[in-house]
Amino acid sequence: MDSPLERRLQKELEQRRKDNLLRTLKVAGSCRLNLSSNDYLQLRTDPGVVAGARQALERYGAGSGASPLLYGYLPCHEQLLDALLQWKRKPAGLVFNTGFMANQAVLKHLPGPKDLVLVDKLIHHSVIQAILQGKADYKRYSHLDLGHLEELLEKNKSAYETVFVVTESVFSMDGDYPDLKALVELKQRFGFVLVLDEAHGTGVFGPTGGGLAEETGVLDHVDILVGTLGKALASMGAYVLTASQTVIDHLVNHAGELIYSTYLAPACAGAASAAIGRVQSLHTERQRLRKNAAWFRDELVKGGWTTNAFDSQIVPVIVGDPDRALALRDRLLEKGLLAGAVRPPTVPPNSSRLRLSFHSGITQDHLHELLELLNACRTV
Ligand SMILES: Cc1ncc(COP(=O)(O)O)c(C=O)c1O
């Protein structure tokens, strides 16, 4: 096919290739150690989680058969929602097909034309895309900078009907996180609606794995809690939880992401329900995982690498140049270690990195091997 469309697309792809930013889709091969998965507690293959998926599959079938309002909402979905509400201590909620869709729904449909949305500059793409399509004004505050957020709140406090503040708990590409207690203090002063995306906090933070909000004791102050079932909960799907049934009723009536899509497969709901039970008891695994990641961060700094000083399971090794991130990824792959090279536009310019995503199956031996390999690649 030679058409104006084909030529334009090829030109754009060629530019990406020249900048070393071309994305390609590869089937994940076998590896000795996976440092790129978000299966932080290794529950994807847990016998109890697999049994949960199988039971729902056998009882309700392979697919849900319809969108939720046309009877695709099955007892397994309701059980999943009940488990989430109880765990995260919220009275109302909704299960979505993906975290991407949940963020789209919340941020496209809840803020109105008289409202303002304030978001962390590095917020996930699903939030940015939703805000761009929504009706409200928006502004970005510098990453984790609550002083900047406070300035924006002060400046805009009487110009809007409702202000929404949106942040991730643990940021997906940096593994850093805001001071949630200080954020809640700002909320008490300015009275905004706090939307928290716990995609990467869930499972790893908090005494029951309830997330960073649970760990910092602010769960009851989060107005709209979003999370995915696709990371530590080892399945697929997502949730929006809140104290407001009105918010949920509004989403059920207006969110096309829910209304016009075949609902989550029963096996996904069954697996996630089982994982919610398992996650709460994995306190020792959580502690070990965080301890390992903290140790590794310290060793990276000693080795002269650039990372950050946060205590989480996501450890970025920031190298700046996209070619260098790719070369490091390939070196690790030669030794059977799978790690993601993340480049712009997923991360800001000049901050290409290896994103090391630690999980509970990683041992001290693995860490020593990884460190040795990386240190041998200092000049790559
Ligand atoms: C912070 C954050 N929010 C939302 C999502 C989307 O979740 P899902 O993978 O369930 O679509 C992700 C996953 O990439 C994420 O990292």
Side-chain angles (χ1 to χ4, degrees):
M1 184 169 85
D2 182 32
S3 64
L5 171 65
E6 183 80 4
R7 284 196 292 278
R8 174 170 61 78
L9 300 185
Q10 278 183 356
K11 196 170 156 209
E12 287 171 13
L13 287 169
E14 193 45 42
Q15 188 56 50
R16 283 232 158 153
R17 198 186 320 274
K18 276 190 192 141
D19 296 339
N20 252 326
L21 298 177
L22 189 72
R23 292 164 164 147
T24 52
L25 192 58
K26 290 197 186 84
V27 176
S30 59
C31 63
R32 276 195 306 123
L33 184 63
N34 190 340
L35 296 157
S36 79
S37 161
N38 300 311
D39 181 14
Y40 300 124
L41 295 168
Q42 299 284 274
L43 291 180
R44 267 191 322 146
T45 49
D46 179 86
V49 173
V50 173
R54 189 177 301 118
Q55 279 159 18
L57 171 74
E58 283 168 1
R59 186 140 189 212
Y60 299 106
S64 66
S67 61
L69 294 178
L70 292 177
Y71 303 109
Y73 187 53
L74 303 171
C76 56
H77 299 117
E78 190 184 41
Q79 281 155 18
L80 168 61
L81 180 60
D82 286 346
L84 286 162
L85 293 174
Q86 210 182 1
W87 184 27
K88 304 250 185 179
R89 300 203 310 262
K90 297 284 178 202
L94 206 49
V95 167
F96 281 82
N97 285 352
T98 68
F100 200 102
M101 288 163 95
N103 275 337
Q104 290 275 301
V106 166
L107 289 148
K108 218 191 287 172
H109 304 294
L110 297 181
K114 295 180 186 163
D115 298 344
L116 172 68
V117 184
L118 297 174
V119 284
D120 186 289
K121 189 140 192 246
L122 297 189
I123 197 81
H124 193 259
H125 183 74
S126 53
V127 172
I128 291 296
Q129 211 188 66
I131 294 170
L132 290 175
Q133 291 171 40
K135 302 181 197 78
D137 284 350
Y138 80 96
K139 293 178 199 295
R140 295 164 120 182
Y141 59 91
S142 307
H143 183 48
L144 306 183
D145 186 347
L146 299 189
H148 188 204
L149 173 62
E150 185 177 354
E151 259 173 52
L152 292 175
L153 287 164
E154 192 64 56
K155 216 157 128 191
N156 294 285
K157 66 181 176 197
S158 40
Y160 292 93
E161 196 171 271
T162 302
V163 176
F164 291 76
V165 172
V166 190
T167 181
E168 290 173 39
S169 60
V170 178
F171 275 78
S172 58
M173 292 299 140
D174 292 270
D176 52 6
Y177 40 84
D179 179 343
L180 285 188
K181 277 192 173 157
L183 186 56
V184 163
E185 277 167 29
L186 281 183
K187 180 186 149 162
Q188 281 157 348
R189 269 178 57 209
F190 290 95
F192 52 77
V193 173
L194 176 56
V195 181
L196 183 69
D197 181 343
E198 282 270 29
H200 297 275
T202 299
V204 182
F205 285 75
T208 72
L212 188 65
E214 182 190 73
E215 179 156 314
T216 53
V218 301
L219 195 49
D220 295 342
H221 298 279
V222 177
D223 299 294
I224 300 176
L225 188 69
V226 183
T228 174
L229 307 172
K231 302 191 194 296
L233 294 174
S235 177
M236 192 178 168
Y239 51 88
V240 173
L241 307 176
T242 169
S244 166
Q245 187 59 45
T246 309
V247 162
I248 298 303
D249 292 346
H250 184 89
L251 292 174
V252 169
N253 278 276
H254 295 278
E257 295 80 2
L258 178 90
I259 302 164
Y260 299 109
S261 190
T262 302
Y263 213 30
L264 195 68
C268 294
S273 292
I276 290 167
R278 287 286 288 126
V279 155
Q280 295 183 53
S281 65
L282 296 178
H283 194 55
T284 313
E285 286 75 1
R286 262 189 285 288
Q287 282 182 323
R288 194 178 58 237
L289 168 56
R290 300 251 310 257
K291 209 167 133 206
N292 276 344
W295 178 85
F296 195 80
R297 266 190 163 88
D298 285 349
E299 293 300 314
L300 279 178
V301 173
K302 283 184 207 158
W305 296 95
T306 303
T307 182
N308 60 36
F310 284 76
D311 155 31
S312 85
Q313 77 283 17
I314 300 167
V315 181
V317 183
I318 301 171
V319 293
D321 206 35
D323 322 18
R324 198 158 169 237
L326 292 174
L328 275 177
R329 176 199 66 186
D330 292 344
R331 284 287 179 92
L332 295 191
L333 200 55
E334 280 164 21
K335 303 287 179 193
L337 310 189
L338 196 63
V342 189
R343 298 162 289 160
T346 305
V347 291
N350 305 316
S351 74
S352 291
R353 68 199 57 194
L354 274 188
R355 175 184 181 268
L356 301 177
S357 179
F358 285 4
H359 57 72
S360 55
I362 293 180
T363 62
Q364 273 291 323
D365 284 351
H366 290 136
L367 293 180
H368 284 288
E369 181 188 355
L370 176 60
L371 195 63
E372 245 173 62
L373 257 172
L374 278 176
N375 285 338
C377 297
R378 282 297 288 142
T379 52
V380 165

